[in-house]
Structures are given as C-alpha cells and as structure tokens.
C-alpha cells in the first residue's frame, strides 16, 4: 500500500516529517510522498527519515492554483519526484510564503476590527516552521474560546465570503505546472472532484487543457472520492495517457477523520501506482536527455 499525498508541520499537518515516516513504517506502507502546501522545507528531514527507516519517500509539494471555478471549487497541483534542492522552486515558494504573511496581517486587522484580540506573534508561534494559513488562525480562535470548533471559526469568520476572509496570492495553471517541471518533477492534478464541476465532461475538458500545459497525471485515488468518479477518471486517464496517482491527504490530528494510507477507510492504493509513476518519471528524464 502507498500514500502519495500528506502534510506535515511544515504546512498544515500536525506531525513532523520524521513522525510521518515512522507512522508509515508502523502501518507497513511501502512508499509515501510529503506534499506540503506551497513549501518544500520539510523534504530534507523527510527524505533522510525515509533512508533511516527503509521507507521509499517521494519528494513532493502541493501548489494552490489561481483559476476560476464555480461552486466553490478549487484546484491544487501536486509536484512529485521534484528536486528538493531546486533553488528556483524554493524562491518561487518563498514568494508565496511572504505573501501569506502579508495576508495573515490583513486577517488579523479584520479580526481586531471585529473586537477579537489576536496578534501576529501568536499566529507565528502557532504556525511554527510552517507557513501561516487559515487553520492556524482557526486554532487560535478555538484556544481563545472565541469559537467552539475550528469548523465554526471558518463558518463564522474565515471561509470565503465571511468577514475575516482574505484571498491568497497564487500562481496560474501554466506557471504552477511549469515550476514543477522545471524542478524535474511530475505535475499531477490533486483531488479532481474538488474542482466541483457538475458534469464529468467538464472535469475531463479541464484536465485536457492542463495536459496541453504539461500535466503528467491525475490523482484517481483519494479519501472520500466517490467510487463512480474514480472509475470514470481511471478510464479517462488510460485513454489520454495520463499517469495515475493517489493519496489520503493525511493531516494528522488536524483532520482526524482521515488516516494515513486508509483515508476515510475507503483507500488501499496498490504499490504499482508508485512503480508506474516512477517508471513514467524515469522515462520522462530519458526523453529530456535525448532532446537536449
Ligand atoms: P489557506 O491555505 O490559508 O487558505 O487555508 C486552507 C485550508 O483551510 C484548507 O486546506 C482547509 O484545511 C481549511 N479550510 C478552508 N476552507 C475551509 C472551510 N470552509 N471549512 C473548514 N476548513 C476549511
Ligand atoms: Zn493541507
Ligand atoms: Fe489539496
């Protein structure tokens, strides 16, 4: 069993990269990928833990994409097998981090205006080594008993359309895909059902547009993805020569209904998903070599 999407304390997960690797070993998983949101700072720890515990660890990242989707849909693109030392990717992700900090200041100002006492230092402490996101704000509001759950913090203050919501700076589709390819990774569309298209043909059309921009594959296994959607997606990727990926989107205690490897109890991603991705990645390297 493999799990190719999870988050650590470097973004919005509750476990360190080392703890993730240990958990994967205890569960008997054969390969895992760390795909923190907009950062690759956790990868050094993750890869060295993988060597130590004999688990295959894949260097990844998850990038939020600026694209217009209705029905509250969102698009995330995963980079898998990226070069963890790629300076260009690091500097682009650092830019996002700086923008996230500026956004955090604006969210704080809005909450202060609503009479809620919260400051940047508290938020930075909550985020630790991770880049600041709305879940960190939600956690502080919960600790201060301003709300009674993290979900309530989103529902009242932080979700889109609520009084302390602030948009986040994101890269567009082409840029997000290109920055992953430039760092020698595979670009994979994460959880395609969360783009929230009503008809499958619209999902399919969007994926084909992304493929023209260099998309390599699609996440066809994911916690809570409807089985019929997953099946339809697998037929689609086969016809269009897209590679399949899959992951639980494990966040540790921060999303405690999702388990590493098993998702919501509905996952069991076969080892060949990993080996096919690896094969696909190696072939793309050979082709790159031939064309240069
Ligand atoms: P950010 O990157 O700072 O915009 O935070 C995004 C994260 O906030 C997502 O990964 C979710 O974990 C969480 N989130 C976003 N919208 C909601 C919502 N409406 N309810 C609960 N959690 C949410
Ligand atoms: Zn996350
Ligand atoms: Fe995602």
């Amino acid at each position: 069993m493999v799990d190719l999407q999870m988050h650590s304390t470097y973004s919005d997960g509750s476990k360190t990269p080392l703890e993730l690797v240990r958990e994967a070993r205890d569960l008997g998983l054969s390969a895992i990928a760390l795909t923190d949101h907009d950062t690759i700072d956790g990868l050094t720890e993750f890869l060295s833990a993988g060597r130590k515990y004999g688990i295959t660890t894949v260097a990844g990242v998850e990038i939020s994409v600026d694209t217009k989707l209705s029905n509250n849909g969102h698009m995330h693109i995963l980079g898998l097998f990226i070069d963890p030392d790629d300076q260009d990717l690091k500097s682009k992700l650092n830019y996002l981090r700086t923008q996230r900090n500026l956004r955090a200041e604006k969210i704080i100002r809005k909450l202060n205006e609503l009479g809620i006492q919260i400051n940047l230092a508290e938020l930075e402490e909550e985020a630790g080594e991770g880049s600041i996101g709305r879940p960190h704000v939600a956690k502080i509001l919960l600790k201060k008993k301003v709300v009674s759950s993290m979900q309530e913090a989103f529902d009242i203050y932080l979700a889109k359309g609520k009084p302390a919501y602030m948009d986040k700076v994101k890269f567009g589709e082409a840029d997000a895909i290109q920055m992953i390819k430039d760092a020698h990774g595979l670009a994979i569309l994460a959880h395609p059902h969360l783009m929230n298209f009503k008809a499958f043909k619209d999902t399919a059309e969007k994926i084909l547009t992304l493929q023209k921009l260099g998309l390599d594959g699609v996440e066809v296994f994911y916690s809570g993805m409807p089985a019929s959607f997953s099946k339809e997606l697998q037929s689609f990727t086969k016809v269009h020569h897209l590679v399949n990926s899959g992951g639980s989107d494990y966040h540790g205690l921060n999303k405690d209904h999702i388990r590493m490897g098993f998702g919501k109890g509905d996952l069991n991603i076969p080892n060949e998903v990993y080996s096919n991705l690896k094969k696909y990645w190696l072939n793309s390297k050979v082709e790159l070599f031939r064309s240069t």
Side-chain angles (χ1 to χ4, degrees):
M1 202 198 283
V2 303
D3 189 340
L4 304 176
Q5 177 170 182
M6 64 184 70
H7 300 267
S8 77
T9 46
Y10 283 82
S11 60
D12 58 350
S14 75
K15 308 266 170 99
T16 65
L18 176 68
E19 287 168 337
L20 291 175
V21 171
R22 276 203 207 121
E23 194 164 329
R25 180 204 53 185
D26 294 345
L27 290 169
L29 299 186
S30 61
I32 56 173
L34 179 63
T35 56
D36 274 317
H37 296 282
D38 305 332
T39 177
I40 58 173
D41 293 348
L43 291 178
T44 309
E45 178 183 333
F46 183 68
L47 298 174
S48 80
R51 285 189 292 272
K52 183 170 166 196
Y53 290 103
I55 303 274
T56 300
T57 41
V58 179
V61 65
E62 181 174 20
I63 297 172
S64 301
V65 180
D66 190 11
T67 185
K68 291 217 165 22
L69 295 169
S70 34
N71 309 315
N72 250 328
H74 60 268
M75 184 193 287
H76 291 167
I77 294 189
L78 299 168
L80 295 179
F81 303 101
I82 55 167
D83 172 0
D85 298 316
D86 190 275
Q87 288 310 316
D88 199 34
L89 179 59
K90 276 192 179 169
S91 79
K92 285 182 173 136
L93 296 175
N94 274 338
Y95 164 76
L96 291 179
R97 192 181 176 106
T98 314
Q99 292 300 317
R100 266 181 180 276
N101 289 345
L102 295 174
R103 171 196 190 223
E105 286 175 25
K106 290 184 189 154
I107 292 178
I108 286 173
R109 217 170 300 141
K110 288 191 166 194
L111 288 169
N112 290 160
E113 280 164 18
L114 293 165
I116 297 164
Q117 296 309 314
I118 174 170
N119 61 53
L120 190 62
E122 289 172 292
L123 197 52
E124 281 170 345
E125 195 185 328
E126 184 62 52
E129 69 266 50
S131 47
I132 301 176
R134 284 178 292 163
H136 300 117
V137 181
K139 242 187 183 167
I140 294 180
L141 296 182
L142 178 60
K143 278 187 190 162
K144 290 179 183 267
K145 299 199 165 57
V146 175
V147 291
S148 58
S149 69
M150 291 201 26
Q151 188 56 52
E152 196 180 304
F154 276 93
D155 293 346
I156 301 180
Y157 300 108
L158 300 170
K160 197 165 188 166
K162 300 300 167 185
Y165 175 79
M166 279 298 305
D167 248 344
K168 164 170 86 176
V169 171
K170 298 174 196 150
F171 289 109
E173 295 171 358
D175 287 342
I177 290 173
Q178 200 53 49
M179 63 200 260
I180 290 167
K181 318 259 316 180
D182 287 346
H184 310 294
L186 294 182
I188 307 286
L189 179 65
H191 39 64
H193 58 307
L194 299 183
M195 295 193 298
N196 284 350
F197 285 111
K198 290 222 168 75
F200 187 82
K201 74 168 183 26
D202 295 326
T203 307
E205 203 175 294
K206 182 51 108 178
I207 295 174
L208 292 178
T209 310
L210 296 174
Q211 190 177 25
K212 289 203 187 89
L213 298 173
L215 189 82
D216 299 292
V218 177
E219 217 170 35
V220 303
F221 303 109
Y222 185 85
S223 308
M225 179 188 279
S228 56
F229 187 92
S230 169
K231 279 234 168 69
E232 209 162 359
L233 210 47
Q234 288 173 60
S235 316
F236 175 80
T237 55
K238 198 166 183 183
V239 171
H240 294 281
H241 306 288
L242 288 152
V243 66
N244 290 335
S245 186
S248 67
D249 208 355
Y250 182 60
H251 282 72
L253 302 172
N254 291 345
K255 288 189 185 172
D256 59 8
H257 54 296
I258 290 171
R259 287 181 64 203
M260 185 190 288
F262 300 93
K264 296 179 176 171
D266 52 348
L267 284 185
N268 183 350
I269 304 166
N271 294 343
E272 68 176 36
V273 168
Y274 167 77
S275 49
N276 284 340
L277 279 160
K278 182 81 188 271
K279 223 183 289 163
Y280 184 100
W281 179 69
L282 288 172
N283 279 338
S284 68
K285 294 302 112 196
V286 172
E287 266 160 42
L288 193 67
F289 179 72
R290 280 206 193 112
S291 68
T292 51

